[in-house]
Amino acid sequence: MKFIVIGITDNPNPNFPPEVMAIIRDGKVFSGGKRHHEIVAPLLPVDAEWIDITVPLDEVFLQFRVYSSECIVVFASGDPLFFGFANTIRRKMPDAEIIVYPTFNSLQLLAHRLVMPYHDMRIVSLTGRPWAEFDRALIERAPKIGILTDREHTPATIAQRMTDYGYTDFIMHVGEKLGNPSEEHLSTLSPKEAIHRDFAMPNCIILEHRGAVSPRTFGIPDAAFTLLDGREKMITKMPIRLLTLQALQLTGRHVLWDIGFCTGSVSIEARLQFPHLQIEAFEIRPECESIIQENTRKFGAPGIHIHIGDFLETDLTTLPKPDAVFIGGHGGKLKEIIAKLLTVISDNGIIVFNSVTSPKVTTDSHQLWDEACAELGLQQFPPQHIQLNDYNPIEILSCKK
């Protein structure tokens, strides 16, 4: 099949070059969103057939296949290769011939209006996508972030998320209906101001950091965390926490599960040090949910997914498979937890557990670990021994399939 994908802006009177006008004049089958149709309808041949691009896209591509002998002319916003529909065609029909006639994308238009260099801009699309890449850009202290929005991820909801997690040291530039001479509008405001504003669709945002970007610390002081009932022993201490992250080998991992998160210290430290990770945090005690939420906001660590309830009774089928797991609490059911993990963990996945040596503990957790690994056929790594101040000695234990 052959597709010609033509980029357009929001201008109601598009000015195409002669080559593109000839393609439109000679075309038979056209496609695009409803807004695109409204813009180009006066230019289409009287006998033109139009295919609306709506979700689910599989149905749209079934309609495309009906016209496999025709060249389908598709109208798309901006540059069709910039988070655009040409990429979707390539993914759905890798053998299709595609010719692209791009125009400026919305973030380019906004940068042009602001006379702002944009070669150093971090690009994030929230159009039909989750928060993950936006959260990562914030955590990594990107000084300039360009954001493609949608009706769920609006400037107001984006500003609210930034404010919730303490990222208020940005200026927001919002461009509405860019390319439409009579309706486009630019606003420059703070995130706190943007929370209370409505913006016309379509729109996009450029975030610009004010002042010097503060460096991210390596390790959060224990005293800074909100604790469970103020109990200092209910937190993995910072040096042990950092060694635990090292044992998890997180640089090359994708999904971390933190089982028994309590205050959330391990999840939060991992999120800040390795913001590319997707983190799923599990805890049986309901009171810990508000604690981890408070701590994630305090330290600017959005994007940790929280699951409250007994891990052994939790449905894991809808969750992303982990390739790194930290077991922070087991309630005497260490072997059962590891056995359940083995039904979902990736083949190269690693499991880490911190064993405390204490005369007050009647059950030797290191022995439980050894027995579970032997019975389940897991390969153990040499343990790391550490004692911090007057606290009981810790052994950082790890294994893999």
Side-chain angles (χ1 to χ4, degrees):
M1 291 189 67
K2 181 177 181 180
F3 293 87
I4 297 177
V5 190
I6 301 170
I8 63 174
T9 68
D10 228 40
N11 193 324
N13 300 300
N15 183 21
F16 294 119
E19 182 180 358
V20 173
M21 288 300 298
I23 292 170
I24 296 172
R25 183 179 62 249
D26 297 336
K28 294 181 180 179
V29 183
F30 299 85
S31 186
K34 291 183 178 180
R35 181 171 59 90
H36 303 138
H37 193 195
E38 293 172 358
I39 291 172
V40 302
L43 304 177
L44 302 182
V46 293
D47 59 346
E49 297 190 52
W50 182 271
I51 300 172
D52 269 327
I53 297 178
T54 57
V55 292
L57 289 178
D58 287 345
E59 295 183 8
V60 176
F61 279 86
L62 286 176
Q63 294 182 66
F64 286 165
R65 294 183 187 279
V66 173
Y67 299 96
S68 58
S69 61
E70 302 284 350
C71 175
I72 300 178
V73 179
V74 180
F75 295 95
S77 298
D79 182 348
L81 290 170
F82 181 79
F83 298 98
F85 198 72
N87 297 325
T88 305
I89 297 173
R90 290 185 65 191
R91 186 175 69 253
K92 296 279 190 179
M93 295 182 167
D95 297 327
E97 178 185 356
I98 304 173
I99 299 173
V100 175
Y101 291 89
T103 189
F104 291 121
N105 65 61
S106 59
L107 288 172
Q108 287 176 311
L109 290 175
L110 180 53
H112 296 164
R113 302 295 187 269
L114 298 168
V115 195
M116 175 189 290
Y118 58 89
H119 59 276
D120 57 345
M121 184 163 62
R122 176 86 164 263
I123 306 298
V124 172
S125 176
L126 290 175
T127 305
R129 291 173 168 85
W131 289 106
E133 286 304 312
F134 176 64
D135 292 343
R136 179 177 179 180
L138 292 177
I139 293 170
E140 292 180 344
R141 309 296 200 272
K144 189 185 297 179
I145 308 172
I147 308 168
L148 301 175
T149 64
D150 63 14
R151 295 189 181 278
E152 178 182 350
H153 303 91
T154 66
T157 59
I158 291 167
Q160 184 68 64
R161 191 171 185 85
M162 294 172 67
T163 302
D164 287 345
Y165 290 94
Y167 293 97
T168 56
D169 47 353
F170 283 89
I171 297 172
M172 291 185 75
H173 304 285
V174 183
E176 305 165 68
K177 295 193 173 183
L178 295 172
N180 187 327
S182 62
E183 296 188 34
E184 79 171 29
H185 184 263
L186 270 64
S187 303
T188 296
L189 62 174
S190 71
K192 290 184 178 179
E193 292 170 330
I195 290 173
H196 307 290
R197 288 275 300 274
D198 291 325
F199 298 88
M201 293 289 295
N203 58 61
C204 64
I205 300 169
I206 294 178
L207 296 177
E208 192 175 17
H209 197 277
R210 296 180 293 186
V213 178
S214 58
R216 186 170 62 245
T217 60
F218 185 67
I220 304 170
D222 300 331
F225 282 94
T226 297
L227 303 174
L228 176 63
D229 299 328
R231 295 154 65 187
E232 294 183 6
K233 293 185 178 181
M234 296 300 289
I235 184 174
T236 303
K237 300 298 182 289
M238 182 176 66
I240 298 170
R241 193 186 318 138
L242 296 177
L243 282 173
T244 298
L245 299 187
Q246 180 274 331
L248 286 163
Q249 305 171 14
L250 295 177
T251 301
R253 306 289 172 174
H254 302 285
V255 180
L256 168 66
W257 284 13
D258 179 6
I259 300 173
F261 63 73
C262 192
T263 62
S265 64
V266 171
S267 286
I268 291 168
E269 197 80 74
R271 185 73 176 130
L272 296 180
Q273 301 299 335
F274 304 92
H276 69 281
L277 287 173
Q278 180 168 342
I279 300 178
E280 309 291 331
F282 303 83
E283 175 58 56
I284 195 170
R285 290 167 290 198
E287 61 268 31
C288 289
E289 183 171 10
S290 61
I291 294 172
I292 191 174
Q293 288 175 343
E294 181 177 343
N295 284 326
T296 56
R297 283 164 169 75
K298 183 186 297 185
F299 302 115
I304 296 172
H305 304 110
I306 301 168
H307 308 273
I308 300 296
D310 188 337
F311 178 79
L312 292 174
E313 298 178 4
T314 301
D315 180 10
L316 308 179
T317 57
T318 61
L319 300 179
K321 292 185 176 182
D323 51 9
V325 177
F326 173 63
I327 303 177
H330 59 87
K333 298 180 179 179
L334 183 61
K335 183 174 69 174
E336 292 86 344
I337 290 173
I338 296 175
K340 184 168 184 175
L341 284 172
L342 293 180
T343 66
V344 293
I345 195 169
S346 299
D347 288 340
N348 67 337
I350 189 169
I351 302 172
V352 172
F353 169 68
N354 292 343
S355 173
V356 182
T357 302
S358 171
K360 296 181 181 180
V361 177
T362 56
T363 303
D364 186 343
S365 59
H366 194 158
Q367 181 181 344
L368 290 176
W369 170 267
D370 287 341
E371 292 173 354
C373 289
E375 184 173 332
L376 299 170
L378 299 173
Q379 176 188 346
Q380 295 194 59
F381 297 100
Q384 300 181 60
H385 303 269
I386 183 172
Q387 181 167 3
L388 181 65
N389 300 329
D390 295 329
Y391 291 99
N392 294 315
I394 297 286
E395 290 184 301
I396 300 176
L397 310 174
S398 56
C399 69
K400 67 176 183 178
K401 285 185 179 181

